[in-house]
Amino acid sequence: MALAAPETRKFTRALSKPGTAAELRQSVSEVVRGSVLLAKPKLIEPIDYENVIVQRKTQILNDALREMLLFPYDDFQTALLKRQSRYIHSTVPENAEKEAQSLFVTECIKTYNSDWHVVNYRYEDYSGEFRQLPNKGTKSEKLPVHLYEVDEEADKDEDAASLGSQKGGITKQGWLYKGNMNSAISVTMRSFKRRFFHLIQLGDGSYNLNFYKDEKISKEPKGSIFLDSCMGVVQNNKVRRFAFELKMQDKSSYLLAADSELEMEEWINTLNKILQLNFEAAMQEKRNGESHEDDEQSKMESSSSSFDNYYPEIAKSTREAEIKLKSESRVKLFALDPDAQKLDFSGIEPEVKPFEEKFGKKILVKCNDLSFNLQSCVAENEEGPTTNVEPFFVTLSLFDIKNNRKISADFHVDLNHASVRHMIPNASQQMVNGSGDSVHRIPDIHETVLQYPKQGIFSVTCPHTDIFLVARIEKVLQGSITHCAEPYMKSSDSSKVAQKVLKNAKQACQRLGQYRMPFAWAARTLFKDASGTLDKNARFSPLFRQDSNKLSNEDMLKLLADFRKPEKMAKLPVILGNLDVTIDNVSPDFPNYVNSSYIPMKQFESTTKTLITFEIEEFVPCMPKHTQPFTIYNNHLYVYPKYLKYDSQKSFAKARNIAVCIEFKDSDEEDSLPLKCIYGRPGGPVFTRSAFAAVLHHHQNPEFYDEIKIELPTQLHEKHHLLFTFYHVSCDNSSKGSTKKKDVVETQVGYSWLPLIKDGRVVTNEQNIPVSANLPSGYLSYQEVGVGKHSGPEIKWVDGGKQLLKISTHLVSTVYTQDQHLHNFFQYCQKTESGARALGTDLVKYLKSLHAMEGHVMIAFLPTVLNQLFRVLTRATQEEVAVNVTRVIIHIVAQCHEEGLDSYLRSYVKYGYKAEPYVASEYKTVHEELTKSMTTILKPSADFLTSNKLLKYSWFFFEVLIKSMAQYLIENSKVKLLRNQRFSASFHHAVETVVNMLMPHITQKYRDNPEASKNANHSLAAFIKRCFTFMDRGFVFKQINNYISCFAPGDPKTLFEFKFEFLRVVCNHEHYIPLNLPMPFGKGRVQRYQDLHLDYSLTDEFCKNHFLVGLLLREVGNALQEFRDVRQIAISVLKNLMIKHSFDDRYASRSHQARIATMYLPLFGLLIENVQRINVKDVCPFPVNPSSNSAKDEALNLPTASQLVTPQKSGNTLDNNLPKDLFGVISGIASPYTASTPNVNSVRSADSRGSLISTDSGNSLPERQSDKSNSLDKNQQSSTLGSSVVRYDKLDQAEIKSLLMCFLHILRSMSEDALFTYWNKATKSELMDFFTITEVCLHQFQYMGKRYIARTGMMHARLQQLSSLDNSLTFNHSYGHSDADVLHQSLLEANIATEVCLTILDTLSLFTMAFKNQLLTDHGHNPLMKKVFDVYLCFLQKNQSETALKNVFIALRALIFKFPSTFYEGRADMCSALCYEILKYCNSKLSSIRTEASQLLYFLMRNNFDYTGKKSFVRTHLQVIISVSQLIADVVGIGGTRFQQSLSIINNCANNDRIIKHTTFPSDVKDLTKRIRTVLMATAQMKEHENDPEMLVDLQYSLAKSYASTPELRKTWLDSMARIHVKNGDLSEAAMCYVHVAALVAEYLTRKGMFRQGCTAFRVITPNIDEEASMMEDVGMQDVHFNEDVLMELLEQCADGLWKAERYELIADIYKLIIPIYEKRRDFERLAHLYDTLHRAYSKVTEVMHTGRRLLGTYFRVAFFGQVSFVCFICLLYAVRRT
């Protein structure tokens, strides 16, 4: 034992950790789940759908709603969409396809020329969630605003004075003193209080004397004296001068005093005049009553005709009101559902667009001007503008110093003035016949407009602040850079200098006009930030002189790196001038521009004056994430001569000012011309045959920075090469040479060449090549074959054949790839296609090498590569090839996803993929081959990495299967065949195999690889859903069964999520309704829908015939037995599907909706099965749930868990000595056969059906299970789900609301016939449960008011702040707390509450009409009627809108009219309850509701009067008085002017009802209102003492005494006192009230001879019991319906009360009265229970006497008379204490 204590403490300590209790619950729950064998629900074989629709063709075609049973014929079709591009014509050159010889080039061109192939599903818009329906986007109608009393301002009141009064009549007002008449003390001067009195006449002619604290008579009065009850007014000067007394009928009186005698007399005269008028009116009424006896005519009037006269709209037919209710103008319930209101885009797939050219950030660069300080007029006659004195040429490009690279091609601009341009000879003639033989034609543009570009569009994919726009400025070759720049750097007087420079420039231009030299450079930043905001304010830097040793791009990048360092830049020599270039954003509709191949855009005007803008090619980084699939033909090669090392050459005498000429040739023959495919410079032709690089003066090792852009031919071959020719340019123009032979400008000093193709690919990157001194014919064939040996022509190498020239090339092509693996694969495919036999092993080798393909290449050529792979797949003869093709595709798909580029795959599948035309003899279909190879890859023995990728990205493969199937069906005209003949048996088998292979991966990998399992599950669902469109639908049903069979009850939450996600997707099929065949399946040949044998439970037959809905409902039913998270997923799938049906415009009509509702009728059975879990009537604003952990989700409060479970050494096992059903309690699961006795901790109530499991507080009496008013015996029937486990824990509020929404929707949509059929089939207990559910609807959807919603929103905001700190809290409510949120939320909730109310009213009116006879059993006093009436009553007990209440009152009138015996015969409890609720509405703040309520109450009285044969309405009369008393006791606050107005309306109704004018009825009604007003006067003080329980009870006790003669009224006040005592925790006092009530009933029954002992039997309990003996025999006992059963209930209540009050000894005395009755009835079970309770009671007595732990108080009633000193008071208290 000594060791146990610390163990216990340790355990207790552990429990205090957060979350431990939840872990405990989980472990217990798991033990339970393990111990209860949860059998898999048996699978139900679906119908053979195709056969059924053939066999029942006639029945289907004759069905009025046949469109709900058949798929449309044109469900899907293939289409060709014209490829949209930005250009006027295709980017592919006209003859490119003919020229192309290589397979890769051909396929690329096909890709860019092909149109888009799409499969259109006509009803695809209907195949998503309800939020994606096509009509969902339309603006919903404005919701009506409903008026609720709860939203009325609490202090806002109508003008009380004008409210109840009528115009005319006697009025008077003034100040009086009012004596306090309410205590046993005599009235003294001091007890008078000054009050303002106002005399008004009420609407029915009665007079009230209201009194106020001040003269503001628009407020509610402090009290009223009702003058109808006044007998006389006399002067009374005994206590005070000028006093007078109002003597009332009940012997009481009011003492009032005026300020003067005159005033007193005025008041007395006025009041007496009113009394005289009242007397005359009473005499007239008496005469009317007497004349009634002889009035034959009135006897002829039947009750229905009087009903007809007063309420013609009901008397005609209650159906009219019902038809009005059912009208289509009502709001859709689901439109108001919070889930339908939520904007949830999670399920919405991104829109898939075709491939399109995408650009980075586009920048428009406008070149305006380049001007130097050195300027002059260049014209000979010096007439003309002042300009630069020589031509300059600008080249713009972008440099990225962050990534150290040039990121755009060059943009060449000529900003020279026309006169300056003419300094260079032949500038204007160069265009003549310029492009006659160019490779690339420009058909749509006149070349002259392309001559002088001014505007360029640059694109930057990755903008950042370190990108610079660099301008390089060149001039005509003249000499060294330093020498030429010197005049431009001086700021002195420049006119002479300008003339000198101009003279030299003219000479240079004449002689060396085609050669350029570097001159200056400038740069500017482009972006302010990384998001691409243009830095428009930045300007170009000063113009820096070029340094002949720092010319290359690498040097430029180094200079730019220092650009932001002023100290470094200050050292650079500056040329005085200005470059004006502006940058701007490019608008989407920017006109008149051409792309980098000079192809014009669609917005293009081809005139000679058009200012054309040029797109400059961007050199996008070779990274997958920045790459996009190519969509246009582009084939450019950029050539960069870098460096020539000529300082060691001995071949040439002079080689200093070296010019490089670049040509592109396709032959090395002597007379072969270079191709005209080099892009020209401004002013020249568009394409030229050669291009020169800038020349450096006197440099033997020149550096170059020039970029030569070449348009490559479509098909390259081995002879295509670049030829570099080097010239020495003579710059010296001195006169020395004039004597010699003609001046030679250029001398050839070498040749070099670079073949463009190597191993079939274009050569790129840097190359070092030797230079030759000669150029023999066939120079390309030169090859060294060993040391000193060579083949080919003899070549003289410069400097011993060293590699003197460094060049680099950059390919921008969409038809040539740099990737060796891709090239090899296509080359091998070309070989095999052209006749060489394909060797499987070789092909597999090439396929495997594709895994090494570069990512950016894969993306760039994505459509082409995938097309080729699918082509190989269909031609594969060996499985190994097919599997390897699929693996490559998996690799490509995975790469795209990993780079976040899956949108390209979606575009490919939707638009690009096209299955080849199927030729059975030649090759197979993609869908069949792909399915087979997927199966192989999914085999357990296969590579798990590949299979995981296939799972993760399975959507792509399933989408390809679907598209291939669609194209195959349409192209081969298989659509016209029957579904089961469309595809081969082998394909059916392959699909089934792939589903079966996929399932173990989904169900087993969800832990290790959750994303892959989840994706595979979703894409399988999407595939199976789409199979319904193409395949045998019965076969698809079987696949769904195969899927479902892999899951079991008790699975982990993730698997439930998978299963319901699958069901959600499949059930969202656009033709889900026809798939379920909502039609009769009877035995006969043709069935009418009206004869339908409807299923209200999930029978096997139902699940077979209506497969999908049956499966869904079964799964939801099973899920309801699981944890909360699982339940919520299941319920939301069901509800969202039903919301979708209700919004689907194809099924908008009532008949459509009714037909759909019949599919969901088994939901009724499901709800009734779980009724005790749904029956939650308390609406909590915050169901705060533990977080999503499914194990923690059962909110069971088990304070004793720590004592019950002790840790064992073996770990997590549980003590075997625990009670058997404890586990069931903890986990929320219990068997319906449990033997444990439920203890219900409440007073018995009409709907006390609780859970079988409830904690015994030890504080209330045990109650037998069988005694429940609505026992659970029906659970002994087999559950519709076939599961042996039923849960009894309550569902969450959100779950309940969602299920009830579905229930209400079905209820509202289904046809009346279907509803009648259901009610006729239902057992009595099912009917009771049905109405329990309708009642729960009213509770759950009740409107709580704007203030409540606003408060809840605030609480929610606060709790969310807390929950952000503690994530273990989740909230079900979606309340916002801004004013707009509150308004919107309250509008929604108000509409929901009204709609729910009207829907249930419809249902009740149908039921009361159809089941009138059953409801009238026992004069309408049967459990069913009681249940129906409870629902009607519930309408009145909850906040309802004005609209709803008007309809409720109409329905109640109809109910009273149909079932008068329920209200006027037998027990009065229903009449009583109705009166109580109607009277509450007579005090409503809304005048329309007061009027309606008053008229309904009048109708109740009037109907009662007619029912008794126009004798009396004693029942209603008494019940109204009792209800008024109850209302006063409950301190509802009636009695104000609003209530008085209602009483006036009732009186007026009686006075104006001509049919009963000559009966006693009007005077009886007047008498009743008089009595009510009297009671109100008597109880006016209760409102004052509502917060003083002792005083309130004291007043109620006095009232109860005053009603000693009337048992019903006395019982009312005693019950009220008991409620107040219980509320205050005074349990002994409450018990005594119960004893008095029981004694009162016993006394009544004794006097009636129905019970042997009266109230004397209770003397042993309390001597005060004799008060109950003063019952009056005559009037008091009229219409009292007490019986033995009532007494039994009350005695049980006494016993329970005494137990709670710990008065155990007295229980025996109560049971002595009960036991003989049960003995007489031989109810042994009940007797056993009583004796067991007695045994426990006596044990308790012994226990408390032994321990002394019971303290019973002694009470004294103390009253003070006269003046009592404080000392006396203290002495008295002391004496009491001593006692």
Side-chain angles (χ1 to χ4, degrees), residues 1589 1593 1614-1631 1633:
V1593 171
L1614 288 169
D1615 282 340
S1616 171
M1617 286 165 67
R1619 281 199 296 278
I1620 292 169
H1621 284 313
V1622 169
K1623 187 178 166 189
N1624 296 328
D1626 302 333
L1627 300 177
S1628 289
E1629 287 82 342
C1633 290

Side-chain angles (χ1 to χ4, degrees), residues 52 78 158 186 200 257 339 358 421 454 662 724 774 785 787 790 919 1010 1190 1536 1663 1716:
V52 168
T78 55
E158 295 127 303
S186 57
I200 59 163
D339 289 338
K358 287 182 188 157
R421 281 180 192 153
K454 288 279 178 71
I662 298 101
F724 301 91
N774 64 334
V785 289
V787 180
H790 69 270
V919 184
S1190 61

Side-chain angles (χ1 to χ4, degrees), residues 871-1137:
R871 194 174 297 114
V872 172
L873 182 69
T874 55
R875 287 164 168 70
T877 50
Q878 295 153 308
E879 189 192 15
E880 193 185 5
V881 173
V883 169
N884 273 287
V885 168
T886 312
R887 285 181 176 204
V888 175
I889 299 173
I890 291 171
H891 170 70
I892 292 172
V893 169
Q895 284 279 97
C896 289
H897 277 86
E898 281 157 22
E899 295 293 345
L901 303 175
D902 50 312
S903 62
Y904 296 146
L905 292 170
R906 292 183 198 282
S907 299
Y908 172 74
V909 176
K910 184 164 182 180
Y911 298 99
Y913 170 74
K914 165 75 177 76
E916 287 203 314
Y918 173 66
V919 184
S921 57
E922 286 184 33
Y923 45 86
K924 308 161 198 119
T925 58
V926 167
H927 49 268
E928 192 160 341
E929 290 311 298
L930 188 56
T931 313
K932 286 177 186 167
S933 53
M934 280 167 71
T935 308
T936 310
I937 288 167
L938 289 170
K939 279 180 184 167
S941 55
D943 171 31
F944 75 94
L945 289 172
T946 311
S947 65
N948 281 354
K949 282 181 185 171
L950 174 57
L951 292 172
K952 195 169 180 181
Y953 311 121
S954 50
W955 72 266
F956 176 83
F957 300 91
F958 281 125
E959 289 285 319
V960 169
L961 291 182
I962 288 165
K963 192 165 180 187
S964 172
M965 287 159 74
Q967 290 173 340
Y968 164 77
L969 287 180
I970 285 180
E971 285 169 16
N972 298 289
S973 302
K974 300 263 187 184
V975 182
K976 294 164 186 164
L977 297 178
L978 291 173
R979 292 285 189 119
N980 42 16
Q981 294 167 14
R982 289 180 176 181
F983 294 99
S984 63
S986 61
F987 180 60
H988 279 101
H989 175 70
V991 169
E992 188 151 14
T993 314
V994 91
V995 172
N996 291 337
M997 291 299 284
L998 203 56
M999 285 317 295
H1001 289 278
I1002 292 173
T1003 54
Q1004 289 163 23
K1005 287 188 175 177
Y1006 69 93
R1007 277 201 185 94
D1008 309 333
N1009 204 335
E1011 195 185 354
S1013 300
K1014 184 180 177 182
N1015 293 358
N1017 182 64
H1018 184 275
S1019 35
L1020 175 63
F1023 172 66
I1024 283 183
K1025 168 172 138 185
R1026 197 38 78 205
C1027 283
F1028 280 127
T1029 309
F1030 309 127
M1031 299 184 80
D1032 177 334
R1033 288 159 283 198
F1035 168 77
V1036 184
F1037 284 156
K1038 282 184 181 142
Q1039 301 323 304
I1040 293 173
N1041 254 354
N1042 288 348
Y1043 173 91
I1044 293 292
S1045 66
C1046 297
F1047 296 89
D1051 273 340
K1053 176 187 159 191
T1054 314
L1055 291 184
F1056 273 105
E1057 285 175 349
F1058 286 177
K1059 178 165 66 177
F1060 279 104
E1061 172 64 8
F1062 179 90
L1063 287 171
R1064 181 188 72 77
V1065 172
V1066 169
C1067 292
N1068 273 330
H1069 191 281
E1070 57 264 45
H1071 305 309
Y1072 168 81
I1073 304 290
L1075 282 170
N1076 282 304
L1077 290 176
M1079 66 181 195
F1081 278 86
K1083 295 279 186 288
R1085 257 180 70 77
V1086 177
Q1087 290 268 317
R1088 288 183 315 140
Y1089 195 78
Q1090 287 79 344
D1091 309 334
L1092 176 51
H1093 168 80
L1094 293 167
D1095 280 291
Y1096 297 92
S1097 57
L1098 285 169
T1099 57
D1100 288 3
E1101 194 64 21
F1102 177 89
C1103 294
K1104 179 181 177 181
N1105 294 334
H1106 314 288
F1107 179 71
L1108 285 179
V1109 71
L1111 178 66
L1112 178 64
L1113 289 172
R1114 285 180 77 206
E1115 290 301 332
V1116 170
N1118 289 331
L1120 288 179
Q1121 308 305 318
E1122 297 291 338
F1123 290 124
R1124 188 186 72 238
D1125 290 353
V1126 171
R1127 296 196 305 258
Q1128 285 179 340
I1129 295 163
I1131 291 168
S1132 90
V1133 169
L1134 175 67
K1135 183 172 83 169
N1136 287 354
L1137 184 58

Side-chain angles (χ1 to χ4, degrees), residues 1464-1654:
Y1464 312 132
E1465 286 187 26
R1467 286 184 65 169
D1469 49 352
M1470 290 198 231
C1471 186
S1472 164
L1474 186 61
C1475 289
Y1476 181 84
E1477 297 303 336
I1478 298 172
L1479 278 164
K1480 265 189 0 197
Y1481 280 103
C1482 286
N1483 196 40
S1484 166
K1485 288 177 188 159
L1486 305 175
S1487 62
S1488 59
I1489 297 304
R1490 286 201 299 275
T1491 308
E1492 292 274 348
S1494 308
Q1495 288 176 351
L1496 176 60
L1497 192 57
Y1498 173 75
F1499 177 71
L1500 188 65
M1501 298 177 199
R1502 170 70 199 281
N1503 203 34
N1504 190 356
F1505 185 70
D1506 289 343
Y1507 187 75
T1508 58
K1510 296 203 168 42
K1511 291 195 182 93
S1512 68
F1513 58 101
V1514 174
R1515 164 65 62 89
T1516 316
H1517 190 293
L1518 180 63
Q1519 293 310 326
V1520 168
I1521 293 292
I1522 290 170
S1523 298
V1524 170
S1525 304
Q1526 267 182 316
L1527 284 165
I1528 295 162
D1530 297 346
V1531 196
V1532 172
I1534 65 165
T1537 44
R1538 289 196 300 262
F1539 193 72
Q1540 295 287 1
Q1541 185 209 17
S1542 298
L1543 293 178
S1544 301
I1545 292 169
I1546 293 169
N1547 265 334
N1548 286 338
C1549 287
N1551 294 335
N1552 299 334
D1553 194 342
R1554 57 192 173 78
I1555 291 159
I1556 42 99
K1557 200 163 194 173
H1558 302 297
T1559 66
T1560 56
F1561 184 69
S1563 59
D1564 288 350
V1565 172
K1566 184 96 187 248
D1567 180 52
L1568 174 61
T1569 53
K1570 200 165 164 182
R1571 285 193 64 183
I1572 292 172
R1573 284 168 169 156
T1574 310
V1575 172
L1576 291 173
M1577 277 195 298
T1579 56
Q1581 273 192 306
M1582 283 201 189
K1583 185 84 181 115
E1584 292 176 35
H1585 296 290
E1586 61 183 302
N1587 297 321
D1588 182 351
E1590 278 79 15
M1591 193 65 186
L1592 192 59
V1593 171
D1594 202 25
L1595 287 166
Q1596 295 200 1
Y1597 177 65
S1598 308
L1599 265 168
K1601 265 180 109 172
S1602 70
Y1603 287 120
S1605 59
T1606 316
E1608 286 274 18
L1609 275 172
R1610 179 162 173 77
K1611 180 176 178 292
T1612 301
W1613 288 106
L1614 288 169
D1615 282 340
S1616 171
M1617 286 165 67
R1619 281 199 296 278
I1620 292 169
H1621 284 313
V1622 169
K1623 187 178 166 189
N1624 296 328
D1626 302 333
L1627 300 177
S1628 289
E1629 287 82 342
M1632 283 304 124
C1633 290
Y1634 296 144
V1635 169
H1636 273 267
V1637 172
L1640 175 73
V1641 174
E1643 179 66 25
Y1644 171 83
L1645 293 176
T1646 306
R1647 294 193 187 186
K1648 289 280 185 185
M1650 295 161 73
F1651 193 64
R1652 57 191 175 77
Q1653 287 170 290

Side-chain angles (χ1 to χ4, degrees), residues 72 83 390 597 728 784 790 1451 1775:
R83 178 186 281 258
E390 58 183 318
S597 302
H728 165 77
E784 287 192 21
H790 69 270

Side-chain angles (χ1 to χ4, degrees), residues 50 64 141 162 182 187 366 379 409 437 503 558 601 635 755 767 777 795 810 828 983 1041 1195 1247 1638 1667-1668 1747 1778:
E50 307 306 330
E141 288 172 29
S162 62
N182 279 309
V187 180
K366 292 182 189 172
D437 55 348
K503 184 185 167 194
K558 285 176 191 167
M601 300 299 128
N635 205 13
Q767 309 285 331
S777 179
I795 291 176
H810 177 62
Y828 183 78
F983 294 99
N1041 254 354
D1247 54 348
E1667 288 177 8
E1668 309 310 329
T1747 59
R1778 286 290 301 273

